[in-house]
Amino acid sequence: MEKNRYDLIVIGGGPGGYSAAIAAAKEGLSVLLFEGGAIGGTCLNEGCIPAKYLLDKAAALEKVRALTDKEIFREPGMFSFKKIQKGREEVIKKLTGGVAYLLKANGVRVIHSFASLTEAGKAECEGQVYEAEDIIIATGSKSMSIPIPGAEYTINSTQALALERVPRRLVIIGGGVIGMELASAYCSYGSEVTVLEAMPELFPAEDERMIAYLKKELVKRGIRICTGCKVKVIEKAGQSRRVFFEGEKPEELYGDTVILAAGRKAVYQGIDVKKLGLALTGKKEIRVDEHMQTSVPHIYAIGDAIGGYQLAHAAYAEGEAAIAHIVGKEEMPLPGKRSGVPVMPRCIYTMPPYGATGLTLSEAEDKGIDAVRGEFSYSGNGMALAEGATGLVQVVMDRESERTIGVQIVGEGAPELLAFAALSVKEGMTVKEWQRLIVAHPSLSEMIKEAALDCFGKSVHGAVR
Ligand code: NAI
C-alpha cells in the first residue's frame, strides 16, 4: 500500500516543480509530486521546447536559402511542415519521458492528478488526504486573454505551435517573447507576418540600442512590426479574420490565423488562496520571500505562479532556493539579489536571437553607476564570417571598479554565449581578468572578450575609436 505521509509535497510538475522534487529527493526527503496535466508543464509540452524545435528547423531553412542565394547550394530549401510537426511531437515525448524516468529513478512518487490544498501540511486528491511537513506550489501560468471583441477568433501560443499548416497571412497580437519567436519561425516557413504591439517599442525592459538592431534585422527578413498599435476588434471574414487596429491612424488587415500573445498570468488551480491565507502580489501572483516562503509557514511557491521572470531556468533556481531552506542548508539567494545586478539570463530565440544578462547601460545609469559600454561586431569575427552570421555584442562595465555588469548580444549563438557572459557578470570580471582569459580561436566567444576590452579602448580586433 502506498503511504500518505511525506516530507515534501510538490504541486505541479513543470520545470520548477519536477526539478525541486528531484533536488529534494537527492537531499534524502521523501517526496510526492502531483501533476494533473503532462509532466514537464508548459516548457516541455507547449512552450520553450516545441518552440525551439520549430525555430531550429526555420533557422536551418534560412541557412540553406542564404547559401542558395550565394550559389553555393543549388537548390533552395524545400520542406515538409507535416514532418517538422511530427518531429516536434517526438522531441516532446522523448524529453517528458526522460523527466518521468528521472523522477522515478530518484524515488519521487508521482500522482497524475490535480491536488487541492486548503490547509498547510495537507493536500487532497480524489478523496485521499496526503500529509507533508512542507509543500511547494509550482502551478505555473496560462496565456492571458484580453477583452477585445472577437478575441474568440484568435488562437493561443499552444495552438500556434501545433498548427497543421503554415498560414499564408499571420497576424500576431503582442510583440513580446512569444509573439516575436512565433513571428520569426512562421516568417521562415513562408507566412506573411504582421505583429501588432501596443507599446511604443518592443521589449522596453531590454537594451534600447540592441533591440533596435534586432528589430531592424527582423524587419529585413520581412516581418511587419507595428508598435504603438491597439487592436480594437477582430471579426470573422469567411475563412479569414479581419483585424481592426489603431496606430497613427485606424487600419485593418486580414489574417488566416490570428495569434494572441499578450502575456501569461499565474494560475493556482486547486490552491485555496483565501482559505490558506496566502498573500498575493498586485498582479495576483503568490507573494514569496527570498527563500520562496509564502505568507503561510511551510508553504513555498516557485515558478510562474510567483511572477517575476516567467522563465524555466528562473523556476529551477527558485526550486533550489526553496529546497535549501527546507533542508536548512546554507542560504542560496538567487544570484544578483544581494549585489543588485540581476544575473538571470534572458533570451529571445528569434532569428537572429537576443541574449542578455546583468544590467543594460540605462539600468546601470539609473542605479547611479558610472557605466561604460564596449561593443564588437560579428563582422569582425572569423567564426561569425565563416558561419555567415551577423550580429553585435555589447558589454557594460563599471568605469570605476572596471567590473563587468552586463552583456547583451544580438546574433547567432547568443543564448549559448550567455552562459559565459552570465559567469563574467556574476563574478564581476575586471578588465585585467578579461585580458588574462584565453578564449578559443576561432569562436564566437572571442567577441565577448573583445567587447569587454573595448569598454576601455583595449580591444585588439575591434574598430579603432
Ligand atoms: P510578454 O509579457 O513578454 O509580451 C506580451 C506583449 O503583448 C507585451 O509586449 C504587451 O505590450 C503586448 N500586449 C498586451 N496586450 C496587447 C494588446 N491588446 N495589443 C497589442 N499588444 C498587446 O508575454 P508573452 O510574449 O506572452 O510571454 C509570456 C511569458 O513567457 C514571458 O514572461 C516570457 O518571459 C515567457 N517566455 C519566455 C521565452 C524565452 O525565454 N525565450 C519564450 C516564450 C515565453
Side-chain angles (χ1 to χ4, degrees):
M1 214 177 97
E2 297 280 8
K3 62 175 191 166
N4 65 358
R5 174 139 199 105
Y6 294 82
D7 295 325
L8 175 70
I9 287 177
V10 180
I11 303 180
Y18 83 68
S19 65
I22 293 172
K26 285 193 188 294
E27 291 294 335
L29 303 188
S30 59
V31 187
L32 170 61
L33 171 76
F34 288 102
E35 172 53 70
I39 285 286
T42 303
C43 172
L44 268 65
N45 295 284
E46 51 192 44
C48 325
I49 304 302
K52 264 75 256 173
Y53 188 89
L54 296 191
L55 283 155
D56 175 71
K57 306 303 162 275
L61 200 53
E62 294 290 357
K63 189 138 195 168
V64 172
R65 282 182 189 144
L67 291 170
T68 311
D69 281 350
K70 288 194 168 129
E71 295 175 5
I72 293 171
F73 280 18
R74 293 220 173 86
E75 295 288 335
M78 302 293 288
F79 66 96
S80 157
F81 193 63
K82 205 171 158 192
K83 283 259 167 69
I84 291 174
Q85 288 296 37
K86 193 162 171 275
R88 175 186 58 82
E89 282 165 13
E90 284 165 7
V91 165
I92 294 172
K93 213 166 141 204
K94 192 165 182 187
L95 212 50
T96 51
V99 171
Y101 160 78
L102 284 177
L103 286 162
K104 193 165 180 222
N106 282 284
V108 175
R109 182 180 173 200
V110 180
I111 295 184
H112 294 275
S113 191
F114 288 102
S116 57
L117 192 64
T118 50
E119 63 179 295
K122 278 188 188 146
E124 239 186 278
C125 181
E126 292 167 0
Q128 281 272 351
V129 176
Y130 299 87
E131 293 179 343
E133 182 71 19
D134 295 288
I135 292 178
I136 296 181
I137 299 170
T139 41
S141 64
K142 67 171 183 187
S143 297
M144 215 149 62
S145 188
I146 48 174
I148 310 175
E152 67 273 22
Y153 299 128
T154 64
I155 60 168
N156 62 26
S157 57
T158 303
Q159 295 161 308
L161 289 170
L163 287 176
E164 282 177 17
R165 271 182 296 277
V166 175
R168 191 169 69 77
R169 296 163 304 177
L170 177 64
V171 179
I172 303 178
I173 303 173
V177 203
I178 294 181
M180 293 318 297
E181 289 186 2
L182 287 169
S184 186
Y186 280 107
C187 168
S188 298
Y189 292 132
S191 297
E192 194 182 286
V193 183
T194 305
V195 177
L196 302 174
E197 165 57 48
M199 300 291 282
E201 269 317 320
L202 296 180
F203 306 109
E206 293 298 339
D207 185 88
E208 204 184 341
R209 190 167 162 269
M210 297 295 271
I211 292 299
Y213 182 93
L214 171 69
K215 186 177 167 190
K216 206 172 81 207
E217 292 295 310
L218 295 171
V219 169
K220 240 198 265 172
R221 284 188 47 216
I223 301 173
R224 183 179 172 209
I225 303 172
C226 306
T227 50
C229 283
K230 301 223 161 39
V231 177
K232 295 289 175 193
V233 187
I234 304 158
E235 286 176 355
K236 198 165 185 293
Q239 292 300 305
S240 314
R241 311 285 182 249
R242 185 165 36 208
V243 182
F244 294 90
F245 65 98
E246 228 172 77
E248 278 172 8
K249 55 181 177 29
E251 276 187 67
E252 64 176 62
L253 60 88
Y254 288 84
D256 305 305
T257 302
V258 182
I259 301 172
L260 183 58
R264 295 181 64 85
K265 66 170 181 189
V267 285
Y268 18 85
Q269 186 175 351
I271 313 294
D272 196 330
V273 172
K274 257 202 186 137
K275 211 161 173 195
L276 288 162
L278 285 179
L280 300 181
T281 67
K283 287 162 115 185
K284 301 250 180 295
E285 294 140 352
I286 300 173
R287 188 184 291 282
V288 291
D289 66 10
E290 64 171 337
H291 307 291
M292 307 298 134
Q293 293 182 106
T294 66
S295 53
V296 180
H298 296 283
I299 299 185
Y300 296 75
I302 60 172
D304 285 9
I306 64 167
Y309 296 108
Q310 290 176 316
L311 302 171
H313 50 272
Y316 289 151
E318 289 156 5
E320 278 164 25
I323 301 301
H325 192 255
I326 288 169
V327 300
K329 273 205 167 169
E330 195 194 336
E331 260 182 55
M332 284 186 28
L334 298 183
K337 276 259 151 116
R338 278 195 189 138
S339 64
V341 178
V343 177
M344 191 65 71
R346 308 171 308 268
C347 298
I348 309 165
Y349 292 83
T350 40
M351 213 178 75
Y354 174 83
T357 176
L359 301 176
T360 63
L361 188 67
S362 60
E363 276 174 335
E365 285 166 356
D366 287 349
K367 283 178 181 285
I369 300 171
D370 181 9
V372 55
R373 185 179 67 78
E375 68 174 39
F376 196 87
S377 165
Y378 273 51
S379 62
N381 176 267
M383 185 59 118
L385 287 176
E387 291 180 346
T390 54
L392 190 65
V393 176
Q394 177 171 282
V395 171
V396 181
M397 294 179 92
D398 183 325
R399 196 189 302 272
E400 202 185 325
S401 65
E402 297 195 346
R403 286 189 178 279
T404 310
I405 53 175
V407 179
Q408 297 92 36
I409 308 162
V410 178
E412 204 162 306
E416 295 299 330
L417 291 171
L418 267 197
F420 167 42
L423 188 64
S424 73
V425 173
K426 181 172 169 281
E427 298 302 318
M429 270 177 71
T430 61
V431 178
K432 274 212 174 77
E433 284 165 337
W434 277 112
Q435 279 174 322
R436 276 190 224 121
L437 185 77
I438 300 174
V439 184
H441 173 79
S443 71
L444 298 178
S445 310
E446 289 174 284
M447 292 186 288
I448 303 181
K449 175 174 176 176
E450 294 279 7
L453 296 182
D454 185 52
C455 289
F456 295 94
K458 293 189 182 347
S459 165
V460 173
H461 298 91
V464 180
R465 293 201 253 157

